[in-house]
């Protein structure tokens, strides 16, 4: 029986946790939205600032009145995607080539 934790075993094997893989997928999808590879069905917008570079704007949900709806929205792609995107380093967000972006993203997430 191994004395290593699941996280340690994943690291030794070079795998990411399920949560990290989900985050990676969401970030890659945000990159595809930015470069118009996939439709922007959640109306995420991007803006560039001199200090922070390219940032995603979380779209407003017009009718967030109840606590339940607010909670559901805060865990949706339209809310989580921009937050994950904005947590990336500025130089990573500026990469346009998808293959290069994925390689650098993997290095950043490990």
């Amino acid at each position: 029986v191994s004395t290593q934790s699941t996280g340690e075993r994943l690291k030794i094997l070079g795998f990411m946790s399920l949560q990290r893989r989900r985050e990676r997928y969401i970030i890659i999808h945000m990159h595809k939205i930015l470069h118009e590879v996939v439709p922007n069905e959640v109306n995420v917008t991007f803006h560039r600032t001199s200090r922070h570079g390219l940032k995603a704007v979380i779209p407003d949900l017009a009718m967030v009145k109840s606590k339940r709806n607010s909670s559901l929205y805060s865990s949706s792609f339209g809310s989580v995607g921009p937050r994950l995107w904005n947590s990336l380093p500025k130089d990573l967000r500026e990469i346009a080539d998808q293959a290069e972006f994925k390689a650098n993203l993997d290095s950043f997430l490990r």
Side-chain angles (χ1 to χ4, degrees), residues 52-81:
H52 299 290
L54 193 60
K55 297 290 249 182
V57 178
I58 299 172
D60 290 330
L61 184 61
M63 301 297 270
V64 177
K65 292 184 179 179
S66 72
K67 205 174 215 183
R68 180 179 181 276
N69 286 347
S70 178
S71 175
L72 287 172
Y73 180 67
S74 67
S75 61
S76 71
F77 177 82
S79 181
V80 173

Side-chain angles (χ1 to χ4, degrees), residues 16-32:
M16 289 188 244
S17 68
L18 286 175
Q19 178 65 32
R20 192 57 99 186
R21 283 185 273 170
R22 280 188 208 103
E23 291 170 349
R24 178 184 182 272
Y25 175 78
I26 291 170
I27 293 168
I28 290 170
H29 198 75
M30 288 292 294
H31 186 264
K32 289 179 178 181

Side-chain angles (χ1 to χ4, degrees), residues 3-64:
T3 59
Q4 297 169 328
S5 70
T6 302
E8 291 169 338
R9 284 182 274 172
L10 287 172
K11 192 171 187 174
I12 290 169
L13 294 171
F15 296 142
M16 289 188 244
S17 68
L18 286 175
Q19 178 65 32
R20 192 57 99 186
R21 283 185 273 170
R22 280 188 208 103
E23 291 170 349
R24 178 184 182 272
Y25 175 78
I26 291 170
I27 293 168
I28 290 170
H29 198 75
M30 288 292 294
H31 186 264
K32 289 179 178 181
I33 288 173
L34 171 65
H35 295 286
E36 300 176 349
V37 176
V38 297
N40 184 2
E41 296 174 347
V42 291
N43 297 322
V44 173
T45 57
F46 295 87
H47 72 277
R48 186 178 305 279
T49 64
S50 58
R51 182 173 181 201
H52 299 290
L54 193 60
K55 297 290 249 182
V57 178
I58 299 172
D60 290 330
L61 184 61
M63 301 297 270
V64 177

